[in-house]
């Protein structure tokens, strides 16, 4: 058989296989019916399939393109969401005297709740267990504050002498260093600086007097807020689950199970976050405090306590407390010691960022560093230091709570677009 004959035979076989393809047959049936309308051998489902494929969306009688409609729909929805967020923030600012103590109480309850659970497992009544843990926590905080304040008071004279010594060193550097200033110029600078301060105090006596009166009100508000924090923390530790269940039961029945699941997932996230933050802060304080004591820096223990408190504000808190330690070393000793302190602070922060945070935080509370920085900045703008403290826990809780809601709404085997489904 010639090569051309074999090619014709293969071509005919291929065409025969194509003709037996059901899609080709359906296409031929529809084509024949279009050519001869009297033929009625095309199934209705085949006709509907091809009719839907060729159907074109009718033009809008108003002349508005479809893309503009979609953009407008997303725009007004985004505006509604933004208005809702602004409304919530505005309401929270009005009720800040209540909202901030509640948020702080949630952090404290997340920190102390594991101890309450241990006592309850030991057959201690929950109310008594919550009271014991709360009193022990207050005693621990009071003891730490007393230690730090005593250390600060005991070394205040040394610190003042160090500041005076640092100012004299600064004057010598300005006089004999690259600036080559005369003593008269240096004296004029300090005298002008003192004059500016004195004039400001004399011009603002009424403001300072009013500020003193307002300070009494601020102290009263702080004491009231502290009492509210203690009272709320006690009930969060004792009745936290029942409180959340009661709030969820006020919503429509379809939302009960998803919100209960999301709430418990968010609470576990908050507990994990607080535990990891305390451990990281303790390691930072011990590391930097030991380095400061090794370098014989004044106020090493208060500075270590400052590092511990600053570590509760991720990224920014540790940086600010480290800068304070470097400045104290620069004023109290010399620039070489300050550089050594700076090196120690950088090493500890690198260990924290690359080892402690990923190891202790884990995926349960993982938040992108950019989100952390933006959350802390927004918290500082909205609520000052308290906002910086609670911003990251709020972001972590919302992140995992929304994930839990989505997982509950779309289980892994029913998730839209899942190939396995």
């Amino acid at each position: 058989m010639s090569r051309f004959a074999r090619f014709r035979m293969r071509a005919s076989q291929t065409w025969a296989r194509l003709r037996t393809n059901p899609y080709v047959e359906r296409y031929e049936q529809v084509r024949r019916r279009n050519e001869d309308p009297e033929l009625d051998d095309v199934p209705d489902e085949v006709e509907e399939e091809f009719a839907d494929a060729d159907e074109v969306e009718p033009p809008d009688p108003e002349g508005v393109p479809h893309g503009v409609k979609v953009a407008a729909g997303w725009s007004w929805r985004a505006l509604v969401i933004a208005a809702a967020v602004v409304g919530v923030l505005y309401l929270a600012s009005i009720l800040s005297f209540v909202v901030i103590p509640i948020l702080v109480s949630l952090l404290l309850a997340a920190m102390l709740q594991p101890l309450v659970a241990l006592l309850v497992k030991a057959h201690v009544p929950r109310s008594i267990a919550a009271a014991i843990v709360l009193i022990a926590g207050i005693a621990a905080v009071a003891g730490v504050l007393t230690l730090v304040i005593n250390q600060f008071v005991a070394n205040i004279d040394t610190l003042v002498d160090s500041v005076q010594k640092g100012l004299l060193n600064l004057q010598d550097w300005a006089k004999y260093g690259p600036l080559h200033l005369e003593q008269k110029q240096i004296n004029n600078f300090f005298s002008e600086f003192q004059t500016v301060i004195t004039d400001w105090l004399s011009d603002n006596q009424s403001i300072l007097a009013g500020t003193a009166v307002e300070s009494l009100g601020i102290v009263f508000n702080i004491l009231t807020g502290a009492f509210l924090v203690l009272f709320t923390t006690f009930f969060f530790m004792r009745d936290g689950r029942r409180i959340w269940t009661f709030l969820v039961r006020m919503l429509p029945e379809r939302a009960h199970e998803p919100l209960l699941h999301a709430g418990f997932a968010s609470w576990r996230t908050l507990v994990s976050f607080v535990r990891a933050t305390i451990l990281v802060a303790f390691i930072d304080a011990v590391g930097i405090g030991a380095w400061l004591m090794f370098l014989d820096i004044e106020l090493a223990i208060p500075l270590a306590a400052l590092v511990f408190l600053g570590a509760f504000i991720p990224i920014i808190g540790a940086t600010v407390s480290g800068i304070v330690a470097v400045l104290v070393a620069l004023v109290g000793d010399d620039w070489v010691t300050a550089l050594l302190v700076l090196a120690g602070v950088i090493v500890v922060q690198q260990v924290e960022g690359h080892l402690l945070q990923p190891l202790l935080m884990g995926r349960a509370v993982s938040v992108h560093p950019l989100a952390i920085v933006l959350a802390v900045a927004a918290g500082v703008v909205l609520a000052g230091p308290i906002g910086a403290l609670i911003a990251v826990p709020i972001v972590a809780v919302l992140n995992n709570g929304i994930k839990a809601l989505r997982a509950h709404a779309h289980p892994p085997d029913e998730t839209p677009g899942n190939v396995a489904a």
Side-chain angles (χ1 to χ4, degrees), residues 84-398:
V85 172
V86 171
V88 170
L89 293 177
Y90 179 73
L91 184 62
S93 65
I94 295 176
L95 301 176
S96 60
F97 186 74
V98 177
V99 173
I100 291 178
I102 290 177
L103 295 177
V104 174
S105 298
L106 284 173
L107 294 177
L108 294 177
M111 178 176 60
L112 301 176
Q113 180 62 37
L115 299 178
V116 176
L118 290 177
L119 292 178
V120 170
K121 287 182 179 180
H123 305 289
V124 179
R126 182 170 291 274
S127 298
I128 298 177
I132 291 174
V133 172
L134 185 60
I135 293 173
I138 294 174
V141 172
V144 172
L145 290 178
T146 301
L147 176 63
V148 171
I149 292 173
N150 289 338
Q151 288 289 328
F152 184 82
V153 172
N155 293 277
I156 188 65
D157 295 334
T158 306
L159 181 63
V160 171
D161 295 338
S162 299
V163 171
Q164 293 178 353
K165 179 182 176 182
L167 292 176
L168 292 176
N169 292 334
L170 182 61
Q171 292 184 25
D172 293 338
W173 177 82
K175 185 176 180 180
Y176 301 107
L179 297 179
H180 296 290
L181 298 178
E182 297 181 357
Q183 186 64 37
K184 183 178 180 180
Q185 293 175 324
I186 297 174
N187 294 336
N188 290 335
F189 171 78
F190 282 101
S191 62
E192 290 178 0
F193 182 74
Q194 184 177 3
T195 302
V196 169
I197 294 177
T198 304
D199 294 340
W200 184 86
L201 291 175
S202 60
D203 295 338
N204 297 274
Q205 287 182 357
S206 59
I207 298 177
L208 293 176
T211 304
V213 174
E214 293 175 357
S215 299
L216 295 177
I218 293 174
V219 171
F220 176 77
N221 291 337
I222 291 175
L223 293 177
T224 307
F227 175 77
L228 184 59
V229 166
L230 297 178
F231 190 77
T232 310
T233 303
F234 172 78
F235 284 103
F236 279 165
M237 290 190 296
R238 196 190 73 168
D239 302 322
R241 180 180 291 268
R242 286 192 293 176
I243 292 173
W244 177 245
T245 305
F246 172 77
L247 293 176
V248 171
R249 297 301 179 191
M250 299 173 62
L251 300 175
E253 186 176 357
R254 292 181 58 187
H256 290 176
E257 187 177 355
L259 287 178
L260 285 174
H261 180 72
F264 296 147
S266 300
W267 178 253
R268 290 192 296 269
T269 299
L270 185 60
V271 171
S272 301
F273 177 85
V274 173
R275 286 180 182 176
T277 302
I278 290 175
L279 187 54
V280 170
F282 178 77
I283 295 175
D284 287 352
V286 170
I288 295 179
W291 182 243
L292 294 176
M293 294 179 68
F294 175 77
L295 295 176
D296 196 19
I297 302 297
E298 300 293 341
L299 302 176
I301 294 179
L303 290 174
L306 180 63
V307 171
F308 177 80
L309 296 177
F312 282 87
I313 303 176
I315 299 176
I316 297 178
T319 303
V320 173
S321 58
I323 291 174
V324 172
V326 172
L327 291 177
V328 170
L330 179 62
V331 172
D333 293 272
D334 51 17
W335 63 271
V336 177
T337 306
L339 289 178
L340 292 175
V341 173
L342 178 61
V345 170
I346 292 175
V347 169
V348 171
Q349 290 185 358
Q350 291 300 314
V351 171
E352 173 195 343
H354 294 87
L355 180 62
L356 297 179
Q357 291 282 356
L359 182 63
L360 298 177
M361 293 293 185
R363 294 184 177 180
V365 292
S366 59
V367 180
H368 195 276
L370 178 60
I372 292 177
V373 173
L374 294 179
V376 172
V380 171
V381 172
L382 295 175
I386 297 295
L389 177 65
I390 64 178
V392 178
I394 290 176
V395 171
V397 167
L398 290 178

